[in-house]
Amino acid sequence: MSSSVEQFFAQQGILSTLVKGYVVREQQVELSNKIAKALEQKKCLIAEAGTGTGKTFAYLVPALQSEGKTIVSTGTKNLQEQLYKRDLPLVKNAIDKTRKTALLKGRSNYLCTYRLRLNGGDHMRLDQQTLHQYNLVKKWSNTTTTGDIGELSALEEGASVIPLVTSTVDNCLGKDCKDYDDCYLFKARQKALAADVIVVNHHLFFADLALKEGGFGELIPQVDTVVFDEAHLLPDIASDYFGKTFSSRQLKDLLIDIEKIQKVTLKDAQQLSDVAVKAQHNIVDLRLCVQAEPKKGELSELLVDSKFNGQLQRLYEVLEQVLAIADLHEGREDDLDKLFERLREYTANLYEITNTQQQDVSLWYETTKLHIVFHLTPLNISQQFSNIVRKSQAAWIFTSATISVGESFSHYQEAMGLEDAQTVQLDSPFDYPNQAMLCVPRYLPAPQHIDMKKHLTDIAVRLIDASGGRAFFLFTSHYMMREVAKLVAEKLDIKVLVQGDASKHSLLDTFVKKSDIALFATGAFWEGVDVKGEALQCVMIDKLPFASPDDPLLKARIKDCRAKGGIPFDAIQIPKAVITLKQGAGRLIRDHQDKGVLVICDTRLVSKSYARTFLKSLPNMQKTRDLTKVEAFLKQIGEGA
């Protein structure tokens, strides 16, 4: 297979006829050869390939040249769509047009015709906006062949009607559903099972792996190769799916479904609806026991609060009443029987998660404006995941631009149970010493100092003046982001975009189309943002992105690490912060022609003993501590534009 890889990527090879201006990238060829060898030997490979390497083609070529079935899992749905609709067809048509491919999304992306009917009656009393959305879906349902809600461009992401016309694991009736033979999710999975290359996302992959959803089979045992793109995201995602959750919203939705079916098909069982409504009120009261502002915390803190614990006990009692009445009507209505079974599972789940005597898990909660979610998260999933990898007899490829810390993969291998995996680290093909400059400004106070907001504002103003806009300002907190953005807007006559004022897509679209503009953002913009060319010439980061010490899951992992004799700061906090910083820094240079500066406003990057670990993990850019040199570099870029 390696010789075929060489032929595909050669200067006069197949790829050169498909991509205008194609130039061989040694790192891409080496990565593809390493992956091809891992596929042949059914081995595990962890590969870090710097920005611009061309990871996607590097794994698609050997995957399509091999004869087996491949799953490619991406970090987000957007990347999933891009890979399936743009990159995969190009490579497939160049190698073998007969290979079958499939795009598979999570169940919440597919229309459920059963729930469409169930939630369309007069008993729903939908508000005007949701009713309008429902009518759009109903009209579209008569013409769609895939049931993919994404086809409905008129329906915005997160529309209130979506939970009413899609299913969840808890309310899906599986093979007992009257619409099972025409189920869009079932058809999509059947197509995926028949495909040679299946494109999924990480959340779907682990949902299928951990939950083994009834009635739809499993994808994993039937594949020869599993490829994870953006593999640095896996430890946190895997931990979520190997744990358990209890969501007050999902429980409430389940009770509403029971109430609706009773009113339509079991009209002599009014007591069932009465108790289901009572349980819904109890769920609302439970949420009201916690402060109104959304927050996260340790579940044990809530359970020792007498008011909260008393309300929880009342919820237990009313759920037992619902189940007792359910026993009386068992067998009268198939759809209700299925919901009763889900309710039993959900109640058992609630009991398990609120049992504080468990070991090696973190019990924590988070709230939204209206709901509360309890989590049971394992502190270590390495054994579970390594068992799956070992039993599968497939090749497993883990690739990202940000997996290593310094030059080591050990933290990732330990977290995922991949100590025996082969590793390879490939630098970016970009000429960072000439394309980019890194600056840690002098004379800054400590990150938490009261004057830091003023310093960040002053630096942001200087950078915007020098670049004429074209700048990303990435923050580790929403508060500091908003404060600095407000002060900058007051000082400069320039358009300031702030995360939260519009959708991510809308903000990026505006940023790219206009030159004199600055974008202030946090979390979601640290990765997965690809702005090439003159539109982006400067990235400023307010401080090293250490996770909040108040995060309940982090606190549990730190405690566990310390109990086992480890040093949590070295083993947990530094690796996570390094990878996040690499992601943020990676927004700057996205193409061979790009030039720009990265400014990190944290003196710990030059004063602390761990600074070397961070610096070794960043690309080899020019380095300075003098902002005047940064300004000169930016002005030079502007003159050459």
Side-chain angles (χ1 to χ4, degrees):
M1 190 189 298
S2 293
S3 60
S4 299
V5 165
E6 298 281 356
Q7 292 166 10
F8 191 91
F9 289 107
Q11 188 59 56
Q12 303 301 321
I14 298 171
L15 191 56
S16 67
T17 65
L18 302 173
V19 179
K20 187 177 180 180
Y22 175 72
V23 176
V24 175
R25 284 172 275 188
E26 293 179 7
Q27 296 92 336
Q28 185 180 44
V29 179
E30 182 178 351
L31 176 60
S32 197
N33 276 320
K34 293 275 188 184
I35 292 172
K37 189 173 182 180
L39 265 58
E40 290 172 357
Q41 299 176 349
K42 300 294 184 184
K43 298 289 187 181
C44 287
L45 174 69
I46 304 172
E48 179 175 89
T51 306
T53 301
K55 299 188 302 296
T56 306
F57 282 11
Y59 61 69
L60 284 180
V61 170
L64 283 161
Q65 288 179 344
S66 66
E67 295 181 357
K69 181 188 285 285
T70 298
I71 284 183
V72 179
S73 181
T74 65
T76 64
K77 283 193 291 186
N78 286 339
L79 287 174
Q80 186 184 0
E81 294 260 8
Q82 177 181 304
L83 190 150
Y84 182 75
K85 293 180 179 178
R86 188 188 70 183
D87 301 326
L88 181 55
L90 190 150
V91 179
K92 185 189 83 166
N93 290 337
I95 293 175
D96 185 351
K97 293 180 180 180
T98 67
R99 301 302 295 276
K100 296 179 181 178
T101 62
L103 176 71
L104 185 61
K105 300 179 181 179
R107 62 166 62 246
S108 64
N109 294 278
Y110 295 98
L111 174 68
C112 173
T113 53
Y114 169 77
R115 289 185 60 75
L116 180 69
R117 289 196 310 277
L118 178 67
N119 292 321
D122 294 336
H123 62 280
M124 285 301 296
R125 297 187 295 276
L126 301 176
D127 62 74
Q128 189 172 357
Q129 183 183 27
T130 307
L131 180 61
H132 173 68
Q133 294 170 353
Y134 177 87
N135 289 331
L136 286 175
V137 174
K138 189 172 183 181
K139 183 178 179 181
W140 163 77
S141 70
N142 295 321
T143 58
T144 182
T145 58
T146 67
D148 185 344
I149 298 288
E151 294 177 353
L152 252 177
S153 56
L155 203 64
E156 63 185 30
E157 189 174 347
S160 56
V161 77
I162 291 178
L164 301 178
V165 297
T166 61
S167 68
T168 66
V169 174
D170 297 293
N171 61 33
C172 176
L173 302 177
K175 289 182 178 178
D176 296 327
C177 181
K178 297 179 178 70
D179 293 4
Y180 182 75
D181 290 338
D182 297 316
C183 175
Y184 290 114
L185 176 61
F186 173 67
K187 288 178 179 178
R189 283 183 173 257
Q190 289 299 104
K191 182 181 177 183
L193 290 170
D196 300 302
V197 179
I198 313 164
V199 181
V200 301
N201 60 65
H202 299 342
H203 288 279
L204 174 59
F205 181 93
F206 282 98
D208 190 84
L209 189 67
L211 299 179
K212 299 181 178 65
E213 297 173 300
F216 293 112
E218 295 175 71
L219 299 173
I220 315 309
Q222 301 186 39
V223 300
D224 301 281
T225 302
V226 180
V227 179
F228 290 107
D229 202 342
E230 301 296 318
H232 64 281
L233 299 170
L234 293 184
D236 288 340
I237 293 174
S239 294
D240 286 343
Y241 282 101
F242 285 139
K244 293 179 180 293
T245 62
F246 167 86
S247 164
S248 67
R249 177 175 182 167
Q250 289 183 340
L251 177 58
K252 189 175 180 181
D253 287 346
L254 187 63
L255 291 163
I256 289 172
D257 284 347
I258 289 174
E259 182 191 353
K260 283 185 293 194
I261 294 178
Q262 181 276 316
K263 290 182 183 299
V264 174
T265 65
L266 218 66
K267 295 181 179 179
D268 62 340
Q270 181 60 40
Q271 187 184 15
L272 179 62
S273 281
D274 293 342
V275 182
V277 170
K278 183 180 177 182
Q280 293 170 46
H281 292 319
N282 272 269
I283 292 168
V284 174
D285 292 340
L286 187 72
R287 171 63 186 93
L288 292 174
C289 290
V290 189
Q291 71 175 48
E293 289 300 311
K295 65 170 295 187
K296 292 181 181 181
E298 295 178 70
L299 187 53
S300 58
E301 295 172 357
L302 289 184
L303 295 177
V304 296
D305 179 83
S306 58
K307 182 181 177 183
F308 182 87
N309 196 44
Q311 190 59 50
L312 181 63
Q313 296 306 316
R314 284 188 283 277
L315 178 59
Y316 286 144
E317 291 169 8
V318 74
L319 288 177
E320 294 296 345
Q321 290 176 27
V322 177
L323 291 173
I325 297 171
D327 288 341
L328 298 176
H329 297 284
E330 194 84 39
R332 294 187 61 194
E333 167 59 49
D334 290 344
D335 292 348
L336 267 177
D337 287 350
K338 191 71 174 177
L339 293 176
F340 292 155
E341 184 57 34
R342 293 291 191 197
L343 184 60
R344 292 186 188 95
E345 293 172 4
Y346 229 65
T347 304
N349 210 28
L350 177 59
Y351 277 116
E352 181 178 356
I353 294 175
T354 53
N355 173 14
T356 57
Q357 303 305 309
Q358 301 172 79
Q359 302 295 316
D360 301 319
V361 296
S362 171
L363 302 177
W364 56 285
Y365 73 91
E366 59 182 330
T367 59
T368 63
K369 187 177 180 180
L370 298 175
H371 298 283
I372 186 166
V373 182
F374 300 156
H375 297 270
L376 182 158
T377 305
L379 297 178
N380 189 307
I381 53 95
S382 59
Q383 190 63 51
Q384 286 171 279
F385 189 72
S386 64
N387 286 342
I388 292 163
V389 172
R390 189 172 56 254
K391 291 176 182 177
S392 71
Q393 298 181 336
W396 292 70
I397 310 299
F398 304 82
T399 184
S400 171
T402 56
I403 297 185
S404 71
V405 175
E407 297 173 352
S408 172
F409 290 89
S410 60
H411 76 285
Y412 190 83
Q413 290 175 282
E414 291 168 8
M416 299 298 291
L418 300 171
E419 286 86 349
D420 296 332
Q422 300 169 355
T423 63
V424 60
Q425 187 174 23
L426 299 167
D427 292 333
S428 167
F430 298 153
D431 183 8
Y432 276 100
N434 289 313
Q435 289 181 251
M437 176 181 285
L438 168 64
C439 176
V440 181
R442 289 193 182 96
Y443 313 124
L444 289 175
Q448 303 302 329
H449 194 279
I450 192 171
D451 291 335
M452 195 62 192
K453 180 167 61 176
K454 177 184 180 301
H455 284 275
L456 290 173
T457 302
D458 291 343
I459 293 170
V461 168
R462 291 179 66 176
L463 293 174
I464 291 170
D465 277 339
S467 63
R470 305 187 181 107
F472 271 5
F473 297 91
L474 299 178
F475 291 82
T476 53
S477 79
H478 287 272
Y479 169 78
M480 189 63 81
M481 173 193 72
R482 289 190 295 267
E483 289 292 303
V484 175
K486 182 175 68 175
L487 291 172
V488 168
E490 292 171 357
K491 289 176 176 285
L492 293 175
D493 184 22
I494 190 172
K495 177 71 173 177
V496 171
L497 302 175
V498 183
Q499 181 180 342
D501 289 350
S503 69
K504 182 178 180 181
H505 175 78
S506 176
L507 289 173
L508 287 173
D509 188 54
T510 304
F511 182 85
V512 170
K513 287 179 179 177
K514 297 187 177 183
S515 59
D516 55 339
I517 203 162
L519 174 62
F520 289 74
T522 184
F525 284 78
W526 281 68
E527 59 181 286
V529 173
D530 189 12
V531 178
K532 296 177 182 177
E534 298 172 10
L536 179 60
Q537 297 179 355
C538 176
V539 172
M540 187 187 93
I541 293 174
D542 69 332
K543 64 179 179 179
L544 296 180
F546 286 106
S548 168
D550 294 328
D551 181 84
L553 184 54
L554 177 62
K555 287 168 72 173
R557 285 178 172 153
I558 288 173
K559 182 179 178 181
D560 180 67
C561 179
R562 193 174 285 126
K564 293 175 179 175
I567 303 174
F569 190 68
D570 293 344
I572 299 172
Q573 290 162 282
I574 284 180
K576 194 171 182 65
V578 165
I579 288 174
T580 304
L581 182 67
K582 288 169 72 174
Q583 282 291 330
R587 298 315 98 211
L588 181 63
I589 303 297
R590 307 297 300 176
D591 189 80
H592 286 276
Q593 305 301 319
D594 289 355
K595 288 190 175 183
V597 297
L598 172 65
V599 180
I600 304 175
C601 302
D602 194 330
T603 55
R604 291 176 295 182
L605 203 51
V606 292
S607 65
K608 296 294 185 180
S609 58
Y610 54 75
R612 190 167 180 269
T613 302
F614 282 91
L615 292 172
K616 280 176 64 179
S617 298
L618 293 173
N620 182 29
M621 298 176 264
Q622 300 176 49
K623 295 180 178 63
T624 183
R625 300 205 62 197
D626 188 348
L627 274 173
T628 60
K629 291 185 178 180
V630 170
E631 291 169 318
F633 188 73
L634 284 170
K635 287 175 181 176
Q636 181 184 345
I637 295 171
E639 290 168 1

